[in-house]
Amino acid sequence: MKTLVTLIAAGLALALPAKAQEFPSRNIKFVVPFAAGSATDAVARIVGEHVGKTLGKPVVIENLAGASGVIAAQNVARADPDGHTVLITTNTTHGANQSLLKSVPYDAVGSFEAIGKIGTITLALTTNPAVPAKTVAELVAYAKANPGKLTFGAGSSSSRIAGEMLKSMAGIDLTYVPYRSNPQAITDLLGGQINIVFADISTTMPQVRAGKINGLAVSTAQRSVLAPDLPTMIEAGVPGYDLAAWFAAFAPAKTPGPVVDALHKAIAAALADKATQDRLLAAGIEPEGSTPEALKAFVVAEIGKWADIVKKAGIQPE
């Protein structure tokens, strides 16, 4: 029996492409579309550490911020499909960009092999303390009394749409200021260059808890267990407001199935690890995995969902 099992294993190995048999043959690169310090960067580093141990090769992080994630996504789409280059990204590149941008130089479905979801995150509405509003209702009232005076910064499509949804659903006029990544927007919020940032709680809440900026509400329909003291936008007086961001992993199209499977299993193992779960939760990220097939179907649905959000918010593609 042992000999038979060995022969079967040998036969399966011969049936695999050479690249799949060798994987991983060197360091694995996790490409992140946002700057160091962003929630996506935290996801990549926390999960990457465990993945590296599972696969026996270090995972290195490469931050390619800018252009709403287009630079990073295009970089991975063009990489060798051998599993050594992985995109750790969000609904920005694989949901919102398809409606926010007039032209996207990659196919969110066709240019990649889906590996699996990693987690979700809630956004928080924050303001510079100089803004004379401590609640969402006060912010809306102030904005209506001072149309166009308040600025909101966003370093991701999720953050921008969160602000645009606030504008359209509350009937207020805010001036949008684009950033390469949300940590940069928070830096300017702290400095008073902008008035509002609607961004992931892992980026915003440390500053809120330090008393440097004000936290007004969270974006989801239910309160976040990671920021239970903040009301939802619905509770704060904006009916129907509900928005969350997600994280997932993708490899270049035509990456061999066994390689994708190895990456999927390594990420699933990381999400099942209690220490990794705790680190993600501490960073404001709620772990949530999926199969590659489920992620692919999810991305298709998300593109349609975000198109509807963009249309309702009245955002014109740029």
Side-chain angles (χ1 to χ4, degrees):
M1 178 62 72
K2 184 176 180 181
T3 302
L4 178 59
V5 171
T6 302
L7 288 172
I8 292 173
L12 289 174
L14 288 173
L16 297 179
K19 288 185 177 179
Q21 293 181 46
E22 297 168 2
F23 181 79
S25 60
R26 60 182 186 278
N27 291 354
I28 298 167
K29 181 168 63 177
F30 277 7
V31 179
V32 178
F34 307 107
S38 64
T40 317
D41 178 71
V43 166
R45 293 178 190 279
I46 294 169
V47 173
E49 183 177 325
H50 196 282
V51 167
K53 293 177 181 177
T54 299
L55 295 178
K57 294 290 183 181
V59 171
V60 296
I61 309 300
E62 181 175 22
N63 300 92
L64 294 178
S68 294
V70 168
I71 297 171
Q74 190 172 27
N75 177 280
V76 173
R78 293 174 174 175
D80 289 337
D82 58 12
H84 292 92
T85 303
V86 176
L87 180 67
I88 304 297
T89 191
T90 71
N91 44 272
T92 289
T93 62
H94 282 64
N97 277 355
Q98 287 64 34
S99 295
L100 286 175
L101 305 178
K102 289 181 179 179
S103 177
V104 180
Y106 60 86
D107 184 328
V109 177
S111 298
F112 302 90
E113 299 295 341
I115 297 172
K117 285 186 72 176
I118 298 176
T120 59
I121 195 166
T122 300
L123 282 66
L125 172 60
T126 60
T127 61
N128 180 278
V131 176
K134 303 302 179 186
T135 66
V136 174
E138 291 176 357
L139 180 66
V140 169
Y142 182 80
K144 287 183 175 180
N146 299 273
K149 182 177 179 179
L150 293 177
T151 55
F152 82 94
S156 72
S157 294
S158 300
S159 294
R160 184 191 173 183
I161 288 179
E164 297 286 0
M165 283 176 62
L166 174 60
K167 286 174 57 177
S168 63
M169 297 178 78
I172 57 178
D173 182 16
L174 304 174
T175 300
Y176 164 57
V177 181
Y179 286 86
R180 290 174 62 86
S181 200
N182 280 329
Q184 296 170 335
I186 290 294
T187 295
D188 277 6
L189 181 68
L190 290 166
Q193 285 87 352
I194 54 176
N195 308 118
I196 301 167
V197 170
F198 217 143
D200 50 88
I201 59 176
S202 62
T203 302
T204 54
M205 290 309 295
Q207 303 298 339
V208 171
R209 295 190 177 104
K212 296 180 179 179
I213 58 177
N214 293 326
L216 274 58
V218 294
S219 63
T220 45
Q222 289 80 38
R223 290 198 183 201
S224 170
V225 295
L226 302 174
D229 50 327
L230 291 187
T232 67
M233 290 291 289
I234 296 172
E235 290 175 328
V238 186
Y241 197 106
D242 184 18
L243 184 71
W246 50 265
F247 307 94
F250 298 87
K254 299 182 179 180
T255 298
V259 173
V260 172
D261 186 53
L263 287 165
H264 167 70
K265 288 179 178 178
I267 289 176
L271 297 180
D273 177 66
K274 182 63 165 57
T276 302
Q277 292 174 4
D278 290 343
R279 290 179 65 193
L280 288 170
L281 288 169
I285 300 138
E286 299 180 47
E288 180 186 347
S290 78
T291 64
E293 296 76 18
L295 174 57
K296 184 175 181 179
F298 178 74
V299 169
V300 172
E302 281 290 288
I303 290 172
K305 168 191 166 182
W306 287 87
D308 186 56
I309 292 174
V310 169
K311 182 178 180 180
K312 288 181 178 178
I315 304 172
Q316 295 301 313
E318 297 178 349

